Amino acid sequence: MKRVITFGTFDLFHIGHLRILERAKAEGDYLIVGISTDALNYSKKQKNPIYSEKDRKRIIEALKVVDEVFYEESLELKGNYIQQFNADVLVMGNDWEGRFDEFKSLCEVKYLERTPSISTTEIIEIIKE
Ligand code: C2G
């Protein structure tokens, strides 16, 4: 059984998120998703997500294509998570192209094309206007 791991904040869950999770699952048989905690998100983006980590996790857990979900507490722990969850493939959107190449010694690393014209940031901007 091929085990796939991916990571993300998945705030204001949208079609781009669903598509990457579907394509990640298609890379193997079992999909594990690391949800960025609120604290990790704050450290990356200096702002809090709209949805709490608890709600973001519940939404991802409810998806048919997702088999297992955990909290990603730190970007530096990615290698540990890959080993802990016995992942064969790491999938990320290509906005992260090249950023996780160091893990090629642990598993396959694949960057999939982002879905164009949709992002959480853009949704927030449109609602604000
Ligand atoms: N994504 C996508 N198409 C979009 C928007 C997002 O394919 N239009 C993908 C991203 O490339 C990423 C996943 O959806 O692989 C989750 O995106 P974010 O929630 O923005 O994740 P991010 O905050 O970048 O966190 O350890 C890495 C981080 O946890 C990733």
Side-chain angles (χ1 to χ4, degrees), residues 33-37 53-55 57 69-73 81:
V33 184
I35 309 286
S36 296
T37 57
E53 59 189 29
K54 203 164 148 255
D55 289 355
K57 185 163 173 275
V69 179
F70 68 98
Y71 285 125
E72 178 190 28
E73 312 238 0
Y81 295 131

Side-chain angles (χ1 to χ4, degrees), residues 10 16 22-23 27 29 35 42 50 52 56 61 63 74 76 81-82 86 89-91 93 117 120 127 129:
F10 303 104
E22 286 174 341
R23 287 174 295 152
E27 293 290 331
D29 312 292
I35 309 286
Y42 195 86
I50 306 285
S52 69
R56 291 183 287 110
E61 273 166 351
L63 299 172
S74 157
E76 279 68 51
Y81 295 131
I82 291 168
N86 246 317
V89 195
L90 166 64
V91 167
S117 314
T120 301
I127 293 170
E129 276 163 21

Side-chain angles (χ1 to χ4, degrees), residues 101-114:
D101 284 356
E102 63 186 287
F103 303 116
K104 284 183 176 167
S105 57
L106 298 177
C107 66
E108 218 180 308
V109 178
K110 288 200 171 175
Y111 303 98
L112 305 183
E113 204 179 311
R114 264 175 80 91

Side-chain angles (χ1 to χ4, degrees), residues 47 50 121-129:
K47 57 179 190 228
I50 306 285
T121 313
E122 215 172 296
I123 294 170
I124 294 170
E125 284 311 311
I126 291 166
I127 293 170
K128 265 193 199 160
E129 276 163 21

